[in-house]
Amino acid sequence: MENEHTGSRRNHWTFLTNHARVLIAIARDPGARLRDIAADCDLTERTVQAIVTDLQTDGYLTRTRDGRRNRYAIAPGARFRHPAEAGREIAGLLAYLSGPPATPTTPPPAAESADGVPDDGALPLP
């Protein structure tokens, strides 16, 4: 019998909640429309609207009108809700996750031995 810990659901978990994804999207673009956030987060507009309301209600962000659009501001000093991270600010995580994507790391070039042959740490073949 399959349950939430076996089968196909077991392979579809993610590290971040939808609330975290929406907050990261807002950190990236405080003037983003809800439909754009929904598209970026692969959520419905209704879900994003409910999440933004949750985040506003709990003091994680504020909304101001900017002409016909909304502009969001993440509350400085906002802290994680879970007791395991109690007292830690979310700003560091948001800065890390909302910045430009990391470039793939490439291994450093192999060192060369005195005879000009690359020395990659492998033993020479006989």
Side-chain angles (χ1 to χ4, degrees):
M1 179 176 187
E2 286 190 10
N3 64 30
E4 65 188 41
H5 300 291
T6 62
S8 63
R9 281 201 67 205
R10 182 78 171 149
N11 295 326
H12 296 290
W13 65 273
T14 63
F15 281 105
L16 299 175
T17 65
N18 289 339
H19 282 66
R21 282 190 182 88
V22 168
L23 199 58
I24 291 164
I26 290 170
R28 287 181 180 150
D29 183 4
R33 297 177 303 173
L34 292 183
R35 79 175 53 165
D36 297 329
I37 295 170
D40 288 345
C41 297
D42 197 25
L43 299 169
T44 65
E45 285 184 57
R46 184 175 290 246
T47 298
V48 170
Q49 185 176 26
I51 289 171
V52 167
T53 299
D54 287 346
L55 294 170
Q56 283 182 268
T57 300
D58 290 343
Y60 284 90
L61 43 95
T62 57
R63 176 181 63 100
T64 56
R65 294 294 290 175
D66 186 13
R68 294 177 51 201
R69 308 264 310 251
N70 289 321
R71 181 162 278 296
Y72 300 95
I74 296 173
R79 299 185 184 283
F80 286 100
R81 292 172 46 120
H82 195 279
E85 296 87 27
R88 294 184 186 261
E89 292 185 4
I90 63 170
L93 180 67
L94 289 177
Y96 178 75
L97 293 174
S98 65
T103 56
T105 56
T106 56
E112 292 185 0
S113 63
D115 60 2
V117 177
D119 182 13
D120 61 2
L123 297 175
L125 295 174

